[in-house]
Amino acid sequence: MAVPASRPADPAEPLAGAERRPRADAARNRERLLAAASELFRLHGLDVAVSEIAERAGVGRATLFRNFPTKNDLVIAVILERMRESIANGRTMLERGEPRGRLLETLIAPLAEGQQMDRALFEAVGVEEFISSPDVQAVHRELLETVDALLAADHAAGTVRGDIGAYDVLMLIKGACKVTMDLGGDEGRRALARQITLIRSAISAEAADACPFTDAPLSFADVDRAHRAGRCA
């Protein structure tokens, strides 16, 4: 029986292994750039040069600009990575559900400490060109939904007041981070630890009886309208 001849390789058709290799290399380069940018932004703020980021990542400027055509694109990618980390942590807590009644509390400290440590993220979230990014808005909505789910779980467990929303919690964290970041050093870390304790106290179920609200918490739609009207910086 004749053995059918194997089909000659099409020179225009990439080999599977050769195709996977560049993709894997590109993904690693992107990860290196994000890690380098995150570290340098955290240490020096948003003014760090892209050439320094590329050098820290061990790649050329051309590779950096292939992944992130502008510096703003790189900053937004760092922001999205941080937000997705918080979302993943929150969802993991919800899935585990242990210990019940402490889901939100477990997320507050990492959120606050991460914002204080990552100067780039904290600076960028107050800049309109970053906030108006559709990608940032979409992931921000996911973060809010995750925090709201954590609030609902803790309220059902009787540990968190039921008249607050995700924006209440995130605004408390942002305010605490801003003030303590200005202090810096050991004083800033000590002050942040105290503010985290105050936030936990403010959102506790016991606080609802002592200090009830007279109106509803802000929703995503409320804040979106304020942004569209140009009332938010």
Side-chain angles (χ1 to χ4, degrees):
M1 179 183 294
V3 178
S6 59
R7 183 173 65 88
D10 183 350
E13 181 179 322
L15 297 175
E19 184 179 0
R20 284 195 296 269
R21 209 164 32 245
R23 287 181 180 176
D25 291 343
R28 281 194 294 269
N29 286 338
R30 181 181 174 85
E31 290 172 4
R32 290 191 191 107
L33 285 165
L34 285 171
S38 179
E39 179 183 2
L40 291 173
F41 287 156
R42 184 171 62 246
L43 294 173
H44 306 298
L46 295 178
D47 292 334
V48 64
V50 291
S51 57
E52 190 175 350
I53 295 171
E55 181 179 356
R56 179 67 63 92
V59 302
R61 285 168 56 94
T63 298
L64 186 151
F65 286 119
R66 272 199 303 273
N67 283 275
F68 308 103
T70 70
K71 188 175 179 181
N72 284 2
D73 292 325
L74 179 56
V75 174
I76 288 174
V78 172
I79 293 171
L80 292 175
E81 186 175 68
R82 291 290 173 268
M83 293 170 71
R84 286 176 178 136
E85 286 173 1
S86 295
I87 292 168
N89 290 339
R91 288 175 176 170
T92 298
M93 293 175 200
L94 285 167
E95 289 169 4
R96 292 176 179 169
E98 295 177 357
R100 283 289 177 191
R102 296 176 63 86
L103 296 173
L104 181 63
E105 181 178 322
T106 309
L107 188 66
I108 288 175
L111 268 175
E113 290 161 3
Q115 285 201 31
Q116 190 189 48
M117 190 175 3
D118 196 332
R119 293 170 56 188
L121 171 59
F122 196 86
E123 291 170 10
V125 293
V127 180
E128 178 59 31
E129 61 187 300
F130 296 128
I131 292 178
S132 61
S133 161
D135 289 338
V136 171
Q137 289 180 352
V139 178
H140 190 223
R141 183 189 288 271
E142 286 185 51
L143 177 60
L144 291 168
E145 290 170 351
T146 303
V147 174
D148 270 332
L150 289 163
L151 281 169
D154 274 3
H155 177 57
T159 60
V160 167
R161 59 192 302 166
D163 55 355
I164 59 173
Y167 269 110
D168 294 317
V169 175
L170 295 183
M171 288 169 74
L172 284 169
I173 293 172
K174 183 175 180 179
C177 289
K178 173 58 179 172
V179 175
T180 57
M181 190 187 306
D182 291 340
L183 289 173
D186 184 58
E187 292 82 2
R189 286 188 291 272
R190 287 168 50 203
L192 181 61
R194 290 179 61 84
Q195 296 308 306
I196 291 172
T197 299
L198 284 171
I199 292 172
R200 289 170 173 161
S201 175
I203 68 174
S204 68
E206 294 79 4
D209 294 331
C211 302
F213 288 111
T214 58
D215 53 5
L218 290 175
S219 66
F220 186 90
D222 294 330
V223 178
D224 186 53
R225 278 195 299 272
H227 280 298
R228 292 179 185 280
R231 297 196 301 272
C232 294

